[in-house]
Amino acid sequence: MKKTATRLADGRELIYYDLRDDAVRDTPDRRPLPEVATASEVRHDPLLGDRVVIASHRQTRTYHPPADACPLCPSRPGRDSEIPADDYDVAVFENRFPSLAGDSGRCEVVCFTPDHRASFADLTEERAGLVLDAWTDRTAALSRRPAVEQVFCFENRGAEIGVTLGHPHGQIYAYPFTTPRTELMLRSLAAHRERTGRNLFDDVVADERADGRRIVLEGEHWTAFVPRAAHWPYEVHLYPRRRVPDLLALDDAARTEFPQLYLELLRRFDRIFGAGEPPTPYISAWHQAPFGGWEGRGVDRADFALHLELFTIRRTSGKLKFLAGSESGMNVFINDVPPEAAAERLREVANQ
């Protein structure tokens, strides 16, 4: 992998990740861009104890532009984009409309491919491995920033999810705090350790493998399953066999096998609802251990287990799972698809 860091016209960082060591990335950004102005503020909710990000400047962000005006495609004569080069392998840049900025953290965009019509599932294993390298490199870099406590790599796919740019891309959020979802995991992890002396993540994966009904896919170094208490109609958790706290700690064998299994999972997701159906909308989210704030938690950073969560809000053909009263008001999820049935369907669509 070759990494080339440069700057866009307004000073934001742009990083190219290339498979070829002889790739040259010296095309300047000639756009007359104004300085980025953000109004990001993190506020604390005293009743729930979590944080809310107020980012009013995002109201003016780019919204469903036509394909010939996509800001994530390579630049062309007469049409400059966020990527000055006329081609790229993987590119990462600071979001022009960040939810988090400055002392409140940082937001980055990860462009998986220059092909506007493709998806992550269309990538080769080599290119998917390069994306994994980019996620890992950015996790390392962002974790060193003084204001950052947790790094979150994710992809939103599909207009149904709320995606406003159709080009295949993901994002990275660097939070100045530990997120509420992770806080819940850490509390459960500590309580399980206190009660049993064992690691909760290890026990969950071991129980799923022993049961077998919800296993979707297994490799030598990874296990994918639908959790017993899945929140979403089709939800898969992908764990490395060797527990590690973050992407940086994956060994070479796990890094090599990951693209094979992950691409297969994404392709199966697109086959869940049968031939002729539109691409399945999904969220893909890496859960990594926080890089700070471990004092008094009752567990260590090494106790956390890196894992990827992949889920769709589509519950059946033409119908979505909405977060209505129970979910949005009380945070009690109601799942219309039994996890065992979801796992069976994801096994059925293998290699179709």
Side-chain angles (χ1 to χ4, degrees):
M1 178 190 76
K2 181 179 181 181
K3 173 184 173 183
T4 306
T6 184
R7 294 280 174 179
L8 295 171
D10 54 9
R12 288 176 294 131
E13 189 174 19
L14 165 66
I15 305 169
Y16 294 100
Y17 294 89
D18 287 288
L19 292 169
R20 293 171 42 235
D21 290 335
D22 61 349
V24 177
R25 301 299 184 186
D26 57 4
T27 306
D29 181 11
R30 303 187 186 279
R31 296 173 297 170
L33 295 179
E35 183 179 351
V36 174
T38 64
S40 179
E41 179 186 0
V42 178
R43 297 185 180 180
H44 178 255
D45 184 327
L47 294 180
L48 298 180
D50 58 13
R51 276 92 162 180
V52 176
V53 178
I54 310 297
S56 58
H57 60 279
R58 284 176 52 78
Q59 289 279 39
T60 59
R61 67 188 182 273
T62 308
Y63 187 80
H64 294 298
D68 61 1
C70 174
L72 307 185
C73 286
S75 291
R76 297 285 185 267
R79 192 202 71 189
D80 294 325
S81 75
E82 293 279 62
I83 317 292
D86 61 4
D87 195 17
Y88 62 85
D89 286 348
V90 175
V92 179
F93 60 88
E94 287 183 69
N95 198 321
R96 191 176 177 186
F97 304 94
S99 302
L100 304 163
D103 291 339
S104 296
R106 177 155 155 153
C107 293
E108 298 182 344
V109 177
V110 183
C111 297
F112 303 139
T113 170
D115 186 351
H116 184 86
R117 296 166 298 178
S119 69
F120 199 115
D122 296 322
L123 300 182
T124 63
E125 290 182 12
E126 188 179 33
R127 184 67 64 85
L130 183 61
V131 175
L132 177 62
D133 290 341
W135 283 331
T136 304
D137 183 70
R138 296 313 302 152
T139 295
L142 293 169
S143 69
R144 292 193 292 268
R145 297 173 69 90
V148 171
E149 189 164 303
Q150 187 171 6
V151 178
F152 177 45
C153 307
F154 66 100
E155 180 192 2
N156 297 327
R157 194 259 197 130
E160 300 94 329
I161 296 293
V163 173
T164 56
L165 296 176
H167 193 104
H169 72 287
Q171 300 181 66
I172 303 176
Y173 277 23
Y175 297 100
F177 52 82
T178 297
T179 59
R181 183 77 175 274
T182 306
E183 289 281 8
L184 289 173
M185 290 187 202
L186 294 177
R187 287 202 289 270
S188 296
L189 183 64
H192 189 78
R193 169 63 58 82
E194 176 68 22
R195 187 172 63 254
T196 69
R198 299 192 304 271
N199 184 280
L200 177 58
F201 289 110
D202 293 350
D203 283 357
V204 166
V205 176
D207 288 347
E208 291 291 352
R209 295 189 68 203
D211 183 290
R213 290 176 298 165
R214 292 175 295 275
I215 295 292
V216 173
L217 188 62
E218 285 199 282
E220 185 178 352
H221 304 284
W222 295 84
T223 298
F225 59 88
V226 178
R228 183 175 183 274
H231 290 62
W232 301 97
Y234 293 89
E235 174 183 335
V236 174
H237 292 192
L238 179 62
Y239 279 79
R241 293 281 188 92
R242 182 178 68 90
R243 172 166 39 92
V244 295
D246 54 38
L247 291 167
L248 284 72
L250 287 173
D251 59 25
D252 289 344
R255 299 181 71 82
T256 298
E257 188 180 67
F258 170 77
Q260 305 166 24
L261 271 66
Y262 185 51
L263 290 171
E264 173 62 17
L265 283 175
L266 293 180
R267 291 162 186 166
R268 290 189 194 186
F269 259 58
D270 274 343
R271 296 193 289 260
I272 290 173
F273 304 102
E277 291 293 323
T280 300
Y282 65 73
I283 292 175
S284 178
W286 279 110
H287 294 278
Q288 303 191 80
F291 288 91
W294 287 93
E295 298 80 6
R297 289 197 180 276
V299 290
D300 299 324
R301 191 169 187 274
D303 294 320
F304 193 89
L306 168 77
H307 60 285
L308 182 139
E309 180 182 4
L310 174 66
F311 65 89
T312 180
I313 62 172
R314 185 178 291 163
R315 56 188 175 88
T316 191
S317 179
K319 297 178 181 179
L320 302 179
K321 167 63 181 176
F322 292 102
L323 299 189
S326 184
E327 294 89 355
S328 296
M330 290 287 107
N331 200 27
V332 177
F333 276 67
I334 300 169
N335 189 353
D336 301 297
V337 180
E340 293 74 20
E344 182 177 5
R345 179 58 180 161
L346 285 164
R347 291 192 297 268
E348 287 175 351
V349 297
N351 302 317
Q352 287 187 357

